[in-house]
Amino acid sequence: QQPVQSPQAVILREGEDAVINCSSSKALYSVHWYRQKHGEAPVFLMILLKGGEQKGHEKISASFNEKKQQSSLYLTASQLSYSGTYFCGTGGARAAGRDDKIIFGKGTRLHILP
Amino acid sequence: EPEVTQTPSHQVTQMGQEVILRCVPISNHLYFYWYRQILGQKVEFLVSFYNNEISEKSEIFDDQFSVERPDGSNFTLKIRSTKLEDSAMYFCASRGGQRRGYTFGSGTRLTVV
C-alpha cells in the first residue's frame, strides 16, 4: 500500500520551518526520505530503521514512530536550495537476505520564497 | 561519488516498437530496481532484482516487460510492443544493502508516439 503524505504542497519564506508527514496502513520496517528537483532524479536524504529513531542531515531531520506507522521530516531554517518535491518511501519487514522494495508516497512539493 | 548511469537520456519510439533501457548500477551494490515516473507524479515501482533474479514485480510489470543483467555490470529493462501509456521517465536505482538508501540514475525519458 502506498504511504500517504501530507501536506501535498507547502510554500515557505526562507528561514521558516516545515514538517512533512508520512503514514502507512501497514507495518513498516523502514522509511526512506528523498528530495527531487524538477527534471532530476530523486536524491536520498535518509533512512530510518527502528521505531523512535531520529536522524539528522544538516538542518533536515526525521523521526519514525513504528507504533503509529508514521514518519515526519523536519526542515528547519529553510534555505532556497530546499525547494523540490519530497518523497517518503516505505518498506515492509522481510527475512534477512531478502529484499523488500520501497513504495513511494505521492510527494510533497516544497517551494521556498526568498 | 559513485553514480548509477542510465542510457539513453531520451528515447522516442513508435507505438508497438521494442525499446531497451540500459543502466550501470554502482559496482558493489547488490540490489537493483526499475521505477517509473509519469509527468512528475509519484515514483512507481516496477521490479526489483537481487542475486541474479527478479525479487518482486508490480502489477505494471506484465509480460510486456523484462529485465536482464547480461554481463554482471549492465542492468537492462526491455519493453516489448510499447504503448502510448508507457511514456514516462524510467529510473534505475541500486543499493548496497537493505539498510541503505537507493541511488537513482538520472533517468531515461521515454516518449511513445
Side-chain angles (χ1 to χ4, degrees):
Chain A
Q1 278 87 347
Q2 182 182 41
V4 177
Q5 286 186 237
S6 62
Q8 289 185 318
V10 184
I11 299 176
L12 296 177
R13 292 216 171 268
E14 202 173 4
E16 292 181 338
D17 301 341
V19 180
I20 300 171
N21 299 302
C22 175
S23 63
S24 175
S25 58
K26 59 182 269 188
L28 298 178
Y29 170 74
S30 63
V31 178
H32 295 223
W33 286 97
Y34 294 79
R35 176 171 61 211
Q36 184 180 33
K37 293 190 178 283
H38 183 69
E40 300 180 6
V43 173
F44 173 69
L45 294 175
M46 64 191 79
I47 182 172
L48 300 104
L49 293 169
K50 291 184 288 189
E53 184 174 14
Q54 293 194 345
K55 278 201 168 180
H57 177 77
E58 296 180 344
K59 292 179 182 174
I60 302 174
S61 61
S63 63
F64 179 20
N65 187 322
E66 195 175 338
K67 261 188 182 176
K68 292 186 177 179
Q69 295 164 189
Q70 292 176 346
S71 177
S72 295
L73 185 72
Y74 307 94
L75 300 105
T76 57
S78 57
Q79 305 168 14
L80 293 175
S81 61
Y82 288 0
S83 291
T85 300
Y86 289 78
F87 291 96
C88 73
T90 55
R94 295 285 272 197
R98 297 188 64 195
D99 186 37
D100 189 34
K101 85 283 185 186
I102 299 303
I103 300 295
F104 289 94
K106 289 187 177 179
T108 296
R109 290 186 305 281
L110 177 65
H111 188 62
I112 310 294
L113 299 172
Chain B
E1 184 86 32
E3 288 185 345
V4 174
T5 305
Q6 287 187 246
T7 55
S9 55
H10 293 91
Q11 174 99 41
V12 181
T13 189
Q14 288 201 325
M15 195 168 54
Q17 296 295 304
E18 175 182 285
V19 294
I20 297 177
L21 310 184
R22 302 182 192 280
C23 171
V24 180
I26 294 172
S27 60
N28 61 349
H29 281 189
L30 303 174
Y31 303 91
F32 313 112
Y33 310 87
W34 284 101
Y35 284 80
R36 75 178 185 188
Q37 187 177 35
I38 297 173
L39 282 178
Q41 295 177 28
K42 68 175 181 176
V43 181
E44 294 182 298
F45 170 73
L46 292 177
V47 65
S48 57
F49 194 87
Y50 169 69
N51 205 22
N52 288 319
E53 60 183 18
I54 290 175
S55 304
E56 197 164 354
K57 53 187 181 180
S58 71
E59 291 175 353
I60 303 168
F61 195 90
D62 57 21
D63 292 344
Q64 179 195 10
F65 293 88
S66 62
V67 288
E68 277 190 345
R69 195 151 186 253
D71 57 13
S73 61
N74 292 289
F75 180 49
T76 62
L77 175 69
K78 182 188 291 186
I79 310 175
R80 289 180 278 274
S81 190
T82 49
K83 307 170 193 168
L84 293 176
E85 55 264 37
D86 293 329
S87 295
M89 181 72 92
Y90 287 79
F91 289 108
C92 171
S94 68
R95 63 172 167 170
Q98 290 178 286
R99 301 171 73 85
R100 305 288 180 88
Y102 289 11
T103 300
F104 282 89
S106 53
T108 293
R109 180 169 296 285
L110 176 66
T111 302
V112 182
V113 297

